[in-house]
Amino acid sequence: MGPHSDSQHLEMDRCSEPAFQRHTGPGGVQVSSCECCVPAPFLPDARDPRSPVKQLRPGWPAHPEPCQNFEQVLGTGTGCHPPVFQPGFKMLSLKLPRLLNMEQVPQVFHEQGILFGYRHPQSSATACLLSLFQMTNETLNIWTHLLPFWFFSWRFVSTLQATDILNDSYSWPLLVYMGASCLFPLASSCAHTFSSMSRNARHICYFLDYGAVNLFSLGCAIAYSAYVFPDTLVGTTFHDYYLTLAVLNTIVSIWLSCYSRFFEIQKPGLCKMLRVLAFAFPYTWDSLPILFRVFLFPGESAENEATLYHQKHMAMTLLASFFYSAHLPERLAPGRFDYIGHSHQLFHVCVILATHMQMEAILLDKTLRKEWLLAHCRPLLFAQIAGAILLCLIFSLSNIVYFSSALYRIPEPELHKKET
Ligand SMILES: [Zn+2]
């Protein structure tokens, strides 16, 4: 965070008895600068109660005369006034917060192989939102999920409009899946946006992110159960209990993924392993029908154009897992990929492409197999779908609340101390 962030301003000493130096400012305007707060941008009407300075920072000391020093404001970061727009002067308001290097932020914010581009670890919510438009090491993490959120939302709304929701129960699983596919990129981009507000906020942001990923995982299981199961397994005991176990998986997964954050500093290897396991296990369970379909029962009526999309989806997911766990390429060249091209961005892109292919596959299966499935498969009831989602929501939110409150119970040094 830069010299003019809210949080830094709060920490700065306020001016008391400024000594003024009169000089000529931009455009020949007579201005003054005070020794104690140079380089502070200052409004000529700062003593006016409507002054933007006072509106931005109530109680901020007003100077008897305006001071101005644009160059130093940009460079030194020692100013004590919030940046404001001054008609007729240079556009001070466009200054962006200064970014920090790895050593300037607490260890809990460190990303392997990323040396620069960190936001202030106590950014305000406004500063976090503004960081969407400043190149930081999180900016592309945010946009690589924010734009797909709008794309998936558009597809979801289009499908909703084309569906007779009340009467077409065959489409309900698809709608649940598409709704969940909007939720997880939104939660992820919000987590990346607001994760620099504080240490605990960072953890809570990612708890919510994991909750949304789990809900998406359940959405996949609901859609797979309805449209993707191979002919041979439709109506079997495995099919009957597939969704129940998917719900149980989400409960274990959310617990494990949240719990893993408590080892982030002390045991990063264990943390990574637990988290990968937390996501890999439900994903593997969800994908069993596809694995059976591709490897055990090829050539059935389920063999259609969707199969190729299912295969592409799985290949892309494997690639995403590789980037997530390997921290490549930034691990090989620390500092080179701080802003563009680091593994988390590549992971996000692969996840979105995988979801897009998965959605195409499910849509194709739903259309091409409709006749066969309606004749041979008992459709999921509303109570089954709603019950599964409700259970997942209740357990996920309980876990998130439990682990969030644990953050405040555990003393910070314990949570963030590196094991020696
Ligand atoms: Zn992410």
Side-chain angles (χ1 to χ4, degrees), residues 145 188 192 206 209 344 347-348:
H145 269 173
S188 168
H192 284 287
Y206 288 111
D209 185 22
H344 204 82
F347 162 71
H348 274 200

Side-chain angles (χ1 to χ4, degrees), residues 274-313:
L274 288 178
R275 206 172 300 160
V276 169
L277 190 71
F279 296 122
F281 183 67
Y283 177 79
T284 310
W285 176 261
D286 286 357
S287 304
L288 282 179
I290 297 171
L291 292 171
F292 284 135
R293 186 165 142 175
V294 171
F295 295 109
L296 288 182
F297 310 115
E300 285 188 344
S301 66
E303 186 76 21
N304 56 34
E305 293 94 289
T307 308
L308 185 63
Y309 281 101
H310 282 305
Q311 288 166 337
K312 284 182 183 173
H313 157 240

Side-chain angles (χ1 to χ4, degrees), residues 351-385:
V351 165
I352 292 303
L353 289 176
T355 308
H356 175 61
M357 286 164 192
Q358 184 186 39
M359 197 177 286
E360 292 300 315
I362 290 172
L363 282 165
L364 276 170
D365 268 335
K366 175 181 176 279
T367 308
L368 299 173
R369 299 182 72 202
K370 184 172 182 178
E371 217 170 299
W372 190 92
L373 287 168
L374 286 176
H376 297 88
C377 182
R378 207 172 44 246
L380 285 171
L381 302 172
F382 177 80
Q384 286 176 298
I385 298 174

